[in-house]
Amino acid sequence: MKAKCRIKESLSTDTVATCEQIARYVSLEEAPGATQEVGDIEGEPKKLKYPRAIPFIISNEFCERFNYYGMRTVLVLYLTRKLDFDDDTATVLYHTFTTLVYFMCVIGAIIADSWLGKFRTILYLSIVYTIGSGCITLGAIPTWDLDARAMTIAGLLLIAFGSGGIKPCVAAFGGEQFKLPEQAKYLALFFSMFYFAVNSGSFVSTMVTPILREDVKCFDDDDCFPLAFGVPGVLMVISIIIFIIGKPLYKISAPAGNMFVKVSKCIWTAIRTRSREKSINPREHWLDYSEKRWGRQLVDETRILLNVLKLYIPLPVFWALFDQQGSRWTFQATRMDGDLGFWTIKPDQMQVINPLLILVFIPLYEVAFYPLLSLIGIRRPLQKLTLGGIFAGLAFVISTIVEIQLESTYAVIPKAGEAQLRIFNGMPCDYRIQSNIPEHVDFTLKSMSMFEEKYLNVKGSATYTYTLSSTGPGPNCAVAEEQRTFVVEEEKQLSYFIRKQDSGISLLRYEDDTEKSSKGYPVFRVLGNTATNRTVVFRDIDSSDGFDRHKNGSYVYDRVESYPSDYEIYVDGELTLTYTMRLGGVYAFIVSDIDGMSTTPIIVTEPNSVNMLWLIPQYVVMTLGEVMYSITGLEFSFTQAPESMKSVLQGCWQLTVAVGNLIVVIVAEAKIFDEQKWEFVLFAVLMFVDMGLFSILAWRYKQIPLKNYDEKDDPNATLPIDQKEESGLDNPVFKKSEE
């Protein structure tokens, strides 16, 4: 009886069902005389009940996916905000981790099919998985004084081994609980439930973990990463408990051998034998050299497999773009404003759009999108797959446009041959400044305000002369009109603060930094013009207990990274200002006790002003591409490959995801571009070129028909493929032929 795969909705990168079990178990065509019922002892028909083990497997998968996506959602922000990695290094670590997860899928399948079996593989690697989650959680607790970086790297390695290892096993193990073909309809329902559990776990965790991270305060921090990692870790413990409880109900099969290993051995045998016998024993195809060792059937099926895998060559580029939702696109969100008035979106919460849209788009594709595409001539699977890749490229075009809009809100940083000058007036007086600064030879600096010139042409350093004269009355404003100097340096931001000192006016010079925080948080500096050092307190009035977030002296001029919130600012216990510091803003607060105590805010770098909702279009287009690319690609591969090769194809599909993430690692490590928009352009162009290459491969693709093999006609056709000696002489058929 031949199996035919009909279900498409359950196929996705993270559905983790292997091609082999889908081919074996889903929507099987019944053999003549097959029935959905089985007879009892008296021969009367009896319907089989739905396997009671399935709820345990579904619950296990929900908890595991909650853990994986919950941890991964907040990972890049943890790497930058707590472990102080820069954006490029955090991107490299994130995608290296994802690469290892998908490489481990092949290893997990080999372990399960060759040694441990699916049940023990899932159980043992889930324990490894849980230990990894525990390492990251414990490392995130600041009071334990552990090496957080080392704990995180160790935890990610363990999670990659555990998550990747069980990925190809869980759905296949669930499929084995059904008796086929009698329960084929039940099995189709299982895969739909399984797919729903995958995306539900992803959706819920992507919503919840950013809330745990940001809205909960713990260990005297403004956030609570230990809780954001710990809750998913607890879900992983629960998944193991659920899985073990269901053991008495499981059908557990012994390992049956891994086809991926057998195919690899067949190819290796062909390569080695061809190198020795090419001149004396020419063959039609290079794989034919392994026929003596592995039989005609495996050779022909491997040839068909390699013919399909040629189409896989361009596939990794799509995953290079797709998986940046959790890295580059999340960093992009940190440079935007999530305030909706009634609710504030967290940057990492934007990733929830993908699983939500997947659940919506899959049925829409069947009832609306595909019929519409057929009207314009897009009907064949390879055409749909190409269109999915084009959607991914368009998503990065959109992200480039968004990034260009964001650039107007970024701080201007001096480049080679440039310098910046800022003057802060901390006096209750306006001053006239006459200087030889280009384009600013004579200007008025208002009281409690800032002057800035972002583009001064400088090589090395430069000195500008100026005179300062008061334009306001009163003894506090008097200043000697003597010639003074501003000194600036190439590629530096130099600032001067006009303040009262003793009986005169002085200018304090310091090196400034107007760049936004890499964490997306607001940053401020206190500039004190006070007779004595004053205690300045920033009280977070949005917190439940009116938390005093920052305390410093008015003579302290260091940059302080704060938390976006509403603040009451007290100077020596006196309320002087209520002010809102927003995401991405860089502020200076001038504290003065001249003519009464006061605090004046100055915005040095504008806070984030582009709303995060502008990211929705690129997520929508990317998800449109994913559904068309992933499901169509897998469906096409399954229908083209022999039944015995479908599990190998699933492993190769997972490897394309791994290679795609490796591409991101290489680009991020190369640091080719100074501006993020050009990296987005690179990936968009790469995707379009890649789909051009795929179109050529698709046009040249010719399906190789699979022959029917009969041992009566050819005893060597279907040889056992587990011989120990390469010569094959331990095989009875070979021995007979030798005699």
Side-chain angles (χ1 to χ4, degrees):
M1 179 176 60
K2 294 188 68 176
K4 182 179 179 182
C5 183
R6 292 175 178 168
I7 187 167
K8 294 184 295 182
E9 289 80 357
S10 65
L11 300 181
S12 173
T13 304
D14 288 313
T15 307
V16 304
T18 67
C19 306
E20 184 177 17
Q21 110 267 334
I22 291 177
R24 288 178 182 173
Y25 305 133
V26 181
S27 300
L28 294 177
E29 292 182 352
E30 296 181 13
T35 176
Q36 293 294 318
E37 299 173 337
V38 295
D40 57 15
I41 298 177
E42 289 76 17
E44 296 179 356
K46 180 181 178 181
K47 288 186 178 181
L48 292 173
K49 295 182 179 179
Y50 197 87
R52 291 185 296 167
I54 295 305
F56 295 94
I57 297 173
I58 295 294
S59 301
N60 168 271
E61 181 64 14
F62 174 86
C63 294
E64 187 275 325
R65 289 291 87 186
F66 186 104
N67 184 10
Y68 179 75
Y69 282 105
M71 180 279 300
R72 209 173 72 153
T73 296
V74 300
L75 178 59
V76 291
L77 297 185
Y78 176 67
L79 294 174
T80 54
R81 295 183 177 184
K82 295 301 180 181
L83 303 187
D84 295 325
F85 289 111
D86 58 45
D87 287 2
D88 287 337
T89 304
T91 299
V92 167
L93 290 172
Y94 177 89
H95 288 282
T96 299
F97 164 71
T98 307
T99 298
L100 290 174
V101 169
Y102 285 96
F103 269 125
M104 285 306 304
C105 290
V106 176
I107 305 300
I110 293 174
I111 292 173
D113 293 343
S114 301
W115 296 300
L116 296 180
K118 295 181 180 64
F119 174 79
R120 287 193 295 168
T121 299
I122 295 170
L123 178 60
Y124 296 162
L125 293 187
S126 293
I127 295 173
V128 173
Y129 195 157
T130 305
I131 294 172
S133 298
C135 286
I136 296 179
T137 303
L138 296 178
I141 300 176
T143 57
W144 284 34
D145 199 25
L146 299 173
D147 188 338
R149 286 192 172 191
M151 294 287 286
T152 301
I153 298 300
L156 290 177
L157 290 174
L158 292 172
I159 291 174
F161 183 57
S163 176
I166 67 176
K167 186 180 286 290
C169 300
V170 182
F173 184 67
E176 290 178 352
Q177 308 307 308
F178 295 85
K179 181 177 177 60
L180 297 172
E182 293 87 353
Q183 292 183 305
K185 292 183 179 180
Y186 285 163
L187 184 67
L189 175 61
F190 161 71
F191 279 113
S192 296
M193 294 170 58
F194 188 87
Y195 186 61
F196 184 81
V198 168
N199 287 281
S200 297
S202 171
F203 174 76
V204 174
S205 64
T206 307
M207 281 292 296
V208 171
T209 51
I211 295 174
L212 298 177
R213 170 189 64 79
E214 185 163 318
D215 292 351
V216 178
K217 311 294 186 285
C218 63
F219 301 106
D220 296 326
D221 282 343
D222 296 330
D223 45 34
C224 195
F225 278 99
L227 187 63
F229 290 130
V231 169
V234 170
L235 264 291
M236 194 61 214
V237 174
I238 294 174
S239 77
I240 296 176
I241 295 173
I242 293 173
F243 189 67
I244 293 175
I245 292 175
K247 184 180 179 182
L249 304 175
Y250 298 147
K251 296 178 183 177
I252 301 176
S253 303
N258 188 272
M259 184 58 70
F260 196 98
V261 175
K262 296 171 184 177
V263 169
S264 301
K265 289 181 177 179
C266 179
I267 294 173
W268 177 242
T269 299
I271 294 173
R272 291 184 59 188
T273 306
R274 183 176 182 271
S275 65
R276 297 195 305 263
E277 301 180 4
K278 180 180 180 181
S279 59
I280 61 175
N281 182 22
R283 305 299 293 269
E284 180 181 355
H285 191 273
W286 63 272
L287 275 172
D288 293 340
Y289 286 96
S290 63
E291 179 180 355
K292 183 179 179 181
R293 171 72 175 92
W294 298 104
R296 184 75 251 168
Q297 180 174 352
L298 182 62
V299 169
D300 285 348
E301 291 181 349
T302 302
R303 184 178 177 184
I304 295 172
L305 173 73
L306 296 181
N307 187 49
V308 176
L309 289 183
K310 288 180 183 178
L311 295 174
Y312 278 34
I313 295 174
L315 299 189
V317 178
F318 174 86
W319 302 114
L321 276 66
F322 176 80
D323 277 333
Q324 290 188 61
Q325 294 177 87
S327 57
R328 292 302 197 196
W329 283 11
T330 298
F331 288 134
Q332 192 176 41
T334 64
R335 302 190 289 272
M336 304 177 76
D337 183 14
D339 186 11
L340 302 181
F342 60 92
W343 183 48
T344 300
I345 308 173
K346 280 75 173 173
D348 35 358
Q349 277 184 325
M350 292 302 297
Q351 299 175 57
V352 80
I353 297 175
N354 178 255
L356 178 63
L357 289 178
I358 286 176
L359 296 175
V360 174
F361 283 166
I362 286 179
L364 283 180
Y365 260 100
E366 294 300 324
V367 301
F369 294 160
Y370 284 143
L372 289 175
L373 289 175
S374 66
L375 294 177
I376 59 175
I378 299 178
R379 301 182 182 92
R380 294 190 297 274
L382 295 183
Q383 291 177 317
K384 297 175 183 177
L385 198 149
T386 304
L387 184 59
I390 292 173
F391 275 140
L394 289 175
F396 266 67
V397 171
I398 298 172
S399 66
T400 302
I401 295 172
V402 172
E403 186 66 24
I404 291 172
Q405 297 302 311
L406 289 176
E407 284 185 343
S408 62
T409 68
Y410 295 166
V412 176
I413 306 301
K415 302 177 181 178
E418 294 180 348
Q420 291 183 358
L421 172 65
R422 289 177 181 81
I423 308 171
F424 294 88
N425 183 4
M427 298 295 293
C429 330
D430 297 343
Y431 286 100
R432 179 185 180 187
I433 298 178
Q434 295 172 291
S435 70
N436 61 347
I437 301 173
E439 301 181 12
H440 301 286
V441 295
D442 193 343
F443 63 94
T444 299
L445 180 60
K446 297 290 185 179
S447 171
M448 301 297 179
S449 67
M450 174 188 69
F451 160 85
E452 67 177 351
E453 174 53 64
K454 300 178 182 178
Y455 304 97
L456 287 173
N457 294 322
V458 172
K459 290 295 183 182
S461 63
T463 301
Y464 297 101
T465 59
Y466 71 95
T467 57
L468 191 70
S469 56
S470 173
T471 60
N476 289 328
C477 296
V479 60
E481 296 188 17
E482 58 185 18
Q483 192 174 77
R484 309 186 188 197
T485 59
F486 293 127
V487 180
V488 295
E489 299 178 38
E490 184 179 7
E491 296 187 68
K492 288 187 178 181
Q493 301 172 307
L494 277 303
S495 292
Y496 287 82
F497 176 45
I498 301 175
R499 61 176 183 170
K500 185 176 181 62
Q501 189 174 32
D502 298 328
S503 59
I505 303 298
S506 68
L507 273 73
L508 172 71
R509 179 178 182 266
Y510 62 92
E511 185 173 343
D512 212 338
D513 181 5
T514 64
E515 190 167 12
K516 295 188 176 190
S517 166
S518 61
K519 302 176 182 179
Y521 288 164
V523 176
F524 70 89
R525 189 191 306 270
V526 174
L527 300 176
N529 184 21
T530 56
T532 59
N533 195 20
R534 308 280 188 173
T535 300
V536 183
V537 175
F538 289 76
R539 182 165 298 167
D540 185 350
I541 59 178
D542 286 342
S543 63
S544 58
D545 56 353
F547 178 62
D548 290 346
R549 194 171 296 281
H550 304 288
K551 295 182 180 180
N552 53 26
S554 60
Y555 287 169
V556 178
Y557 302 96
D558 294 333
R559 274 173 45 116
V560 178
E561 189 172 273
S562 188
Y563 189 81
S565 187
D566 295 325
Y567 290 91
E568 292 178 341
I569 302 175
Y570 293 84
V571 181
D572 280 356
E574 178 183 347
L575 177 63
T576 58
L577 178 68
T578 300
Y579 192 76
T580 300
M581 285 194 282
R582 297 168 54 197
L583 283 170
V586 178
Y587 305 91
F589 292 95
I590 299 176
V591 176
S592 174
D593 59 5
I594 300 175
D595 295 341
M597 193 70 70
S598 67
T599 301
T600 304
I602 296 177
I603 299 176
V604 181
T605 301
E606 290 291 333
N608 300 346
S609 56
V610 180
N611 198 279
M612 283 185 200
L613 294 182
W614 284 107
L615 292 176
I616 291 179
Q618 65 198 54
Y619 277 94
V620 171
V621 175
M622 179 62 79
T623 307
L624 283 169
E626 180 202 2
V627 176
M628 189 175 296
Y629 193 92
S630 179
I631 293 179
T632 305
L634 280 172
E635 179 192 18
F636 173 79
S637 302
F638 298 163
T639 58
Q640 298 297 299
E643 300 296 336
S644 63
M645 296 294 166
K646 297 186 186 298
S647 61
V648 181
L649 264 178
Q650 176 71 1
C652 293
W653 183 269
Q654 305 288 2
L655 288 178
T656 65
V657 183
V659 175
N661 280 270
L662 191 59
I663 293 173
V664 182
V665 171
I666 294 171
V667 172
E669 269 299 294
K671 299 181 179 179
I672 305 171
F673 307 109
D674 293 331
E675 298 176 344
Q676 183 60 55
K677 65 181 179 182
W678 297 118
E679 187 176 297
F680 286 157
V681 169
L682 171 66
F683 279 109
V685 171
L686 188 61
M687 190 72 245
F688 292 136
V689 172
D690 186 66
M691 285 299 97
L693 172 62
F694 181 81
S695 299
I696 296 173
L697 293 175
W699 178 70
R700 298 179 60 182
Y701 174 77
K702 302 294 181 183
Q703 183 177 359
I704 300 176
L706 180 63
K707 300 176 183 178
N708 292 322
Y709 297 94
D710 190 345
E711 293 187 33
K712 295 180 180 179
D713 298 331
D714 182 4
N716 287 337
T718 57
L719 292 176
I721 51 179
D722 57 353
Q723 296 95 329
K724 304 303 181 182
E725 297 183 18
E726 186 176 344
S727 65
L729 295 181
D730 56 329
N731 186 285
V733 176
F734 285 146
K735 289 182 178 180
K736 182 177 181 180
S737 63
E738 289 293 324
E739 294 174 358

